[in-house]
Amino acid sequence: MIDVVTDNIVPTENIIDELTWRGLIQQSTDIDALRRDTQAGPVTLYCGFDPTGPSLHAGHLVPLLALKRFQRAGHTPIVLAGGATGLIGDPRDVGERVMNSTDTVADWAERIRAQLERFVSFDGDNAAIVENNMNWTGKLTAIDFLRDLGKHFSVNVMLARETVKRRLESDGMSYTEFSYMLLQANDYLQLRRERGCTLQVGGSDQWGNIVAGVELNRRVDGESVHAMTVPLVTSSDGKKFGKSTGGGSLWLDPEMTSPYAWYQYFVNTGDADVIRYLRWFTFLGQSELAELEVEVAERPQARVAQRRLAAEMTTLVHGADNTAAVELASQALFGKGEIRDLDEATLAAALTEASVGQVRPGEPSTIVDLLVASGLCDSKGAAKRTVKEGGAYVNNAKVAAEDWTPAGTDLLHGQWLVIRRGKRNFAGIQVLPA
């Protein structure tokens, strides 16, 4: 067995064995049969992603990376953008989904398709395939839907699903959302017929929908296919994974979540979660993960594992150049690097993650005023004490005089000042145009 896997190396172990030691198999229809089939030769598998928003988020990464792991082991992945199912919406535990317009969902499907394509390879004998279920679902008539699909599903079984039961006990569920299972099951049927797909993977919350596809293939065509789910990610204290400090989702789109914010989320991972996240989200091998686990146990304050996780995740989603930029920013903002080397986008994103005060030319802007405007001090008295005690910095340079004011040459990219109080607290000041 090898430890570090690259795009050009196929692991000698079976992919199911690798997924098992990583803790990435939550449920399977028949894990031994799946192991035999994947050992016997390449299989084609798929995972679907509905465009319920303009971007995928961090929670999508475990199933998406499962496709990449299978591909690296020699199998063929299909990434399915749910242009049709995204119009319906998979039933949630609480409340009906918002029905977005056809044009909106189509636009989101194209944006998400572009994101999906970044995580699999389109070269080689097992080149990835991209599909959109609108290609076959859009052709279904109401009669076809009821006769060719609906007759194979038991309402009693559908009503027994936990999500359906919870919704019926609270605010109810429309027939539109109730029928979602049929559409997803049909995706599996069509992909098996057209692409030879014999494995569907997804999050564990999709188990009912995935098994419905397995059953539909058996009932309609007499074919046996596989299903496998990966675990949903939560932190050790039960909190939902992928929520940013501002409460919103951690998006893969850099315009919605900056590379800096993305990096900071993972570098702040708790000790109890970091090794599990490294197993699930990276391609590091067992020996390197064992070394990082020792670091967490013996030197937790060094946060070696967290910094490795943040670097791996940022490179995976945003590329190596952005990783280098945010690592430089993380050092420079705390006085351990040259702050003038930061590009404006990274600097602005980093300051926005902290706090930003604004001043206009002509307004009072001594260091005392700036400490208050930035939110680092709650009064001028506290700001004066900070300066007197030697804890005030502008662009990493200590400011010792209460009447210090910035010159034009102090403005980073013509508009920014980085204000720091002590070693760990920083904020931004944006000098607005006159």
Side-chain angles (χ1 to χ4, degrees):
M1 186 181 71
I2 59 177
D3 282 328
V4 180
V5 182
T6 71
D7 282 328
N8 299 317
I9 299 176
V10 178
T12 56
E13 66 180 338
N14 183 273
I15 180 61
I16 302 304
D17 294 329
E18 181 191 347
L19 295 175
T20 299
W21 76 256
R22 288 185 181 276
L24 283 171
I25 300 178
Q26 185 77 15
Q27 299 146 306
S28 173
T29 43
D30 188 334
I31 195 64
D32 292 329
L34 181 58
R35 181 181 285 104
R36 287 194 300 270
D37 286 354
T38 53
Q39 192 69 48
V43 303
T44 299
L45 68 151
Y46 96 94
C47 185
F49 301 87
D50 279 348
T52 54
S55 172
L56 297 175
H57 56 74
H60 291 113
L61 281 177
V62 175
L64 185 51
L65 291 176
L67 293 181
K68 189 174 182 70
R69 295 182 200 280
F70 270 94
Q71 185 175 35
R72 286 182 160 183
H75 307 286
T76 301
I78 300 173
V79 286
L80 180 71
T85 44
L87 287 166
I88 303 303
D90 190 20
R92 300 184 301 182
D93 283 341
V94 179
E96 196 89 357
R97 289 188 181 273
V98 174
M99 299 291 285
N100 295 296
S101 71
T102 302
D103 289 344
T104 295
V105 173
D107 176 61
W108 288 350
E110 281 302 308
R111 293 179 63 172
I112 285 175
R113 173 179 172 141
Q115 292 179 348
L116 294 172
E117 292 176 354
R118 299 207 311 263
F119 292 89
V120 290
S121 172
F122 292 87
D123 299 320
D125 294 335
N126 61 327
I129 301 165
V130 179
E131 285 279 13
N132 186 328
N133 58 20
M134 182 60 82
N135 293 337
W136 51 84
T137 307
K139 300 174 184 177
L140 275 177
T141 67
I143 296 299
D144 293 336
F145 175 76
L146 294 172
R147 285 178 57 87
D148 298 340
L149 292 179
K151 68 179 181 179
H152 297 292
F153 290 83
S154 164
V155 171
N156 290 342
V157 172
M158 295 173 70
L159 288 172
R161 292 182 64 199
E162 287 300 319
T163 299
V164 174
K165 288 196 295 186
R166 285 193 291 270
R167 284 284 296 278
L168 293 179
E169 291 170 358
S170 56
D171 55 346
M173 176 183 290
S174 71
Y175 175 74
T176 299
E177 286 197 354
F178 187 63
S179 65
Y180 180 94
M181 175 189 285
L182 281 68
L183 298 181
Q184 182 169 327
N186 186 49
D187 290 344
Y188 200 173
L189 180 66
Q190 299 303 320
L191 289 173
R192 198 212 85 248
R193 287 175 172 175
E194 298 297 324
R195 298 290 191 178
C197 179
T198 57
L199 169 62
Q200 182 182 359
V201 300
S204 59
D205 59 339
Q206 290 293 307
W207 180 246
N209 291 333
I210 295 174
V211 170
V214 172
E215 282 296 302
L216 186 63
N217 274 282
R218 182 184 63 81
R219 290 174 183 271
V220 175
D221 290 343
E223 294 288 341
S224 176
V225 293
H226 297 286
M228 189 197 86
T229 64
V230 295
L232 296 180
V233 189
T234 57
S235 60
S236 58
D237 58 5
K239 291 181 181 178
K240 189 172 182 179
F241 169 81
K243 292 295 184 182
S244 67
T245 54
S249 292
L250 203 65
W251 302 103
L252 272 59
D253 186 334
E255 298 298 319
M256 300 174 68
T257 299
S258 71
Y260 182 87
W262 179 269
Y263 181 94
Q264 289 301 314
Y265 179 90
F266 288 101
V267 86
N268 287 316
T269 300
D271 292 342
D273 298 314
V274 65
I275 299 301
R276 178 165 53 99
Y277 287 4
L278 281 163
R279 288 201 308 268
W280 287 4
F281 292 114
T282 77
F283 294 86
L284 303 182
Q286 292 189 63
S287 62
E288 190 165 5
L289 288 173
E291 292 173 3
L292 289 169
E293 193 165 11
V294 171
E295 289 285 351
V296 173
E298 297 182 354
R299 296 196 308 137
Q301 72 282 359
R303 303 189 69 76
V304 173
Q306 282 87 345
R307 286 187 281 109
R308 184 61 185 274
L309 173 66
E312 292 283 332
M313 292 299 290
T314 306
T315 299
L316 175 72
V317 175
H318 298 295
D321 288 345
N322 277 310
T323 301
V326 298
E327 288 181 330
L328 176 61
S330 296
Q331 296 171 1
L333 290 168
F334 295 108
K336 298 178 181 179
E338 178 48 63
I339 206 163
R340 292 184 181 275
D341 289 342
L342 302 182
D343 65 88
E344 185 171 9
T346 302
L347 176 63
L351 295 178
T352 301
E353 283 297 301
S355 66
V356 175
Q358 295 180 330
V359 298
R360 295 184 181 278
E363 292 181 347
S365 57
T366 66
I367 184 59
V368 172
D369 299 316
L370 296 176
L371 283 166
V372 174
S374 67
L376 292 175
C377 292
D378 56 10
S379 68
K380 288 189 176 183
K384 290 177 180 179
R385 286 194 297 273
T386 297
V387 175
K388 184 177 181 180
E389 294 168 0
Y393 297 82
V394 175
N395 299 343
N396 287 340
K398 183 180 289 189
V399 176
E402 294 180 9
D403 60 354
W404 179 93
T405 58
T409 54
D410 293 315
L411 300 183
L412 304 174
H413 302 289
Q415 63 174 324
W416 297 102
L417 295 169
V418 177
I419 313 298
R420 184 154 50 88
R421 178 173 62 84
K423 293 182 178 181
R424 303 297 303 171
N425 300 301
F426 72 88
I429 289 290
Q430 184 180 27
V431 180
L432 300 174

